[in-house]
Amino acid sequence: MGHHRWRGAAALVVAALATVCVSSVAAAAPSGVVAAPSQTSKESVVADRAQALAEEMTVAEQASTVVMGHVAGTDPAALRAYMESGLGGFIIMGSNVPSSETELQALTAALTTDPSLPPLIAVDQEGGIVSRLKGDNFAASTSLKQLPVADTTTAFLARGSQVARAGINVNFGTVADYTADTGSFIYGRALGTNAASSGKRVAAATAAQEQFVASTLKHFPGHGAAPGDSHSAIPSTTMSLADWRESAAIPFADGIDAGASLLMYGHLAYSAVDPLPASLSATWHEIARDELGFTGVAVTDDLGMLLSSGDPAYADPVANGVAAVAAGNDLVLMIAGSDAQTASEMAAGIAAAVDGGTLPEERLEEAATRVLGLRLELSAATAQWTICADCEPVD
């Protein structure tokens, strides 16, 4: 998968901010010395296993594994029942976060119906303006953009370990958009005000988190150049592809080079490249794969946001999900406007599109294989994270 998490007894990372320290707790290494498999061979084994699993699945099962669902509530039994349909993931929103971390750990544990293949459990934990988890008092974008890059590393070491401690394995937490416009809705969430400063901090945040969780770059290809808020419209820019390569592309390229596991596509249009929103654009998926070298899981931003745009072209959430997979997304996400049946309806619509010949079977299998590969990689994690009172910070 091209990722470089530190796992098992050999991994020891300590993040210190204020009085909080986080350390890895793992079983003692056995006596004797055994040569560890190379990173490349481990990735090859995971990729082969993911491919085999995808090939064994029915079309309906593949369709379910490329859908990340959501329902409100903090009842572990109810959430477990929701996941028994075979969905590939679940996103934790504020409505799912109970009062204590222990309760949250019980809730996230309940989401795993098959311990050998845990789902992707995600959260938007950027810190600061966008925070779902309680107790994240670590430095966030509002201050990090003015601080040395090392401060971003420190903050996201702590943030990533807090996410992992909760039993969450994916963080939609790294904003690779940038803007110098203080009036932009994304300004307060951005890690920099120009390509270079943003890129350095995005890379630092990515490398820090990938030691604990699968991190995500968002919102590709970049909100800063497209004015407007994609929660209620489809922002657009006439920026050329050549100009994009020299500006908005840079933080995403830096994050990809740092090992980001996921790339989130925004509902924004660079009309000179493709009039469609990037989330539904095959062109932008090709650019990320072919030009930036991204090999991980492509995920949509909340498809419910397309409904909120009011554009009649995007009034059917299931059709949006099918179009998103056809464009190149491996994982589709739907939160706004969804209910307990929405994710299953999305999966059924994707499967029906394959059966009807409007969505290539090979495209769905490719998407399922990538999602399964990340799920398998995360299931191999052996590190456990806990607060420790006597940890010494490392440089």
Side-chain angles (χ1 to χ4, degrees), residues 231-245:
H231 290 87
S232 55
I234 299 174
S236 180
T237 177
T238 58
M239 177 182 281
S240 70
L241 182 59
D243 286 344
W244 173 82
R245 290 183 179 121

Side-chain angles (χ1 to χ4, degrees), residues 89-282:
F90 186 92
I91 182 167
I92 299 286
M93 300 296 287
S95 62
N96 302 120
V97 179
S99 58
S100 73
E101 185 177 64
T102 300
E103 291 172 299
L104 179 57
Q105 289 167 339
L107 183 150
T108 55
L111 293 169
T112 299
T113 59
D114 178 1
S116 69
L117 189 65
L120 299 178
I121 303 174
V123 69
D124 289 306
Q125 193 63 27
E126 299 171 15
I129 295 170
V130 177
S131 292
R132 312 292 186 215
L133 305 184
K134 298 176 173 67
D136 182 347
N137 300 313
F138 312 119
S141 54
T142 48
S143 61
L144 289 173
K145 58 167 60 76
Q146 284 94 30
L147 296 173
V149 175
D151 290 67
T152 297
T153 296
T154 302
F156 277 91
L157 277 171
R159 183 164 291 120
S161 61
Q162 181 187 15
V163 170
R165 267 201 332 270
I168 298 167
N169 54 23
V170 173
N171 190 18
F172 294 151
T174 309
V175 174
D177 314 290
Y178 72 85
T179 180
D181 178 6
T182 58
S184 169
F185 91 100
I186 205 68
Y187 176 83
R189 296 166 59 190
L191 288 167
T193 56
N194 57 58
S197 68
S198 177
K200 290 174 183 177
R201 288 167 179 79
V202 165
T206 299
Q209 289 178 92
E210 284 286 333
Q211 300 176 58
F212 309 97
V213 295
S215 71
T216 308
L217 305 173
K218 62 186 188 185
H219 309 79
F220 188 77
H223 256 304
D229 187 343
S230 58
H231 290 87
S232 55
I234 299 174
S236 180
T237 177
T238 58
M239 177 182 281
S240 70
L241 182 59
D243 286 344
W244 173 82
R245 290 183 179 121
E246 298 300 318
S247 57
I250 292 172
F252 290 99
D254 289 347
I256 288 168
D257 289 345
S261 295
L262 299 99
L263 180 63
M264 178 177 282
Y265 284 72
H267 306 309
L268 56 152
Y270 281 62
S271 58
V273 180
D274 190 336
L276 290 171
S279 52
L280 305 181
S281 166

Side-chain angles (χ1 to χ4, degrees), residues 354-377:
V354 172
D355 292 338
T358 58
L359 175 63
E361 184 177 353
E362 296 79 11
R363 169 79 275 269
L364 177 58
E365 184 174 304
E366 177 185 54
T369 300
R370 287 203 186 105
V371 172
L372 289 165
L374 184 55
R375 292 171 66 183
L376 287 170
E377 181 189 352

